[in-house]
Amino acid sequence: GITGYLGFLGETQGDILNNFDPDTIQASTARVLLAITMFFTYPMEAFVARHVLIKLLFNGDMDGHATDPITGEVVKAPKLFGIFNRRHIWTFVIYLA
């Protein structure tokens, strides 16, 4: 941030990439790299939100397994459309929010 400000001084814009000519390879590359960073940051934030929600709502049972009280065996929860478990559904819900 400091070097960006020193490069443009009083004409520095809020988004440092707006100070550069939009047609240059360097500015375009920086914009693409920033977009890639944002693309991978959002899922990491959703991971934390999903973990907290599962912990609060389902006592940490991410996959929805239950223990049979008679046999003591782990019974897998039914999946939505045969493929989506609790983890998949909540990840999808958070992405839509």
Side-chain angles (χ1 to χ4, degrees):
I2 292 173
T3 57
Y5 178 76
L6 291 176
F8 299 99
L9 296 176
E11 296 180 15
T12 302
Q13 297 181 21
D15 181 356
I16 194 71
L17 294 176
N18 288 338
N19 293 315
F20 297 100
D21 184 19
D23 298 328
T24 63
I25 298 289
Q26 292 86 356
S28 296
T29 302
R31 286 183 179 92
V32 168
L33 292 174
L34 183 61
I36 290 171
T37 301
M38 294 287 99
F39 181 77
F40 287 110
T41 298
Y42 185 71
M44 293 300 292
E45 297 300 324
F47 172 78
V48 173
R50 181 191 70 188
H51 180 76
V52 170
L53 282 173
I54 296 292
K55 192 76 169 167
L56 289 173
L57 297 175
F58 301 105
N59 201 23
D61 185 13
M62 184 72 75
D63 295 317
H65 297 155
T67 304
D68 187 334
I70 298 170
T71 63
E73 294 180 17
V74 175
V75 179
K76 291 187 177 183
K79 295 183 177 186
L80 183 65
F81 302 119
I83 55 174
F84 298 114
N85 64 11
R86 185 179 288 164
R87 178 187 323 233
H88 299 124
I89 294 168
W90 277 98
T91 301
F92 184 69
V93 167
I94 290 171
Y95 283 160
L96 290 179

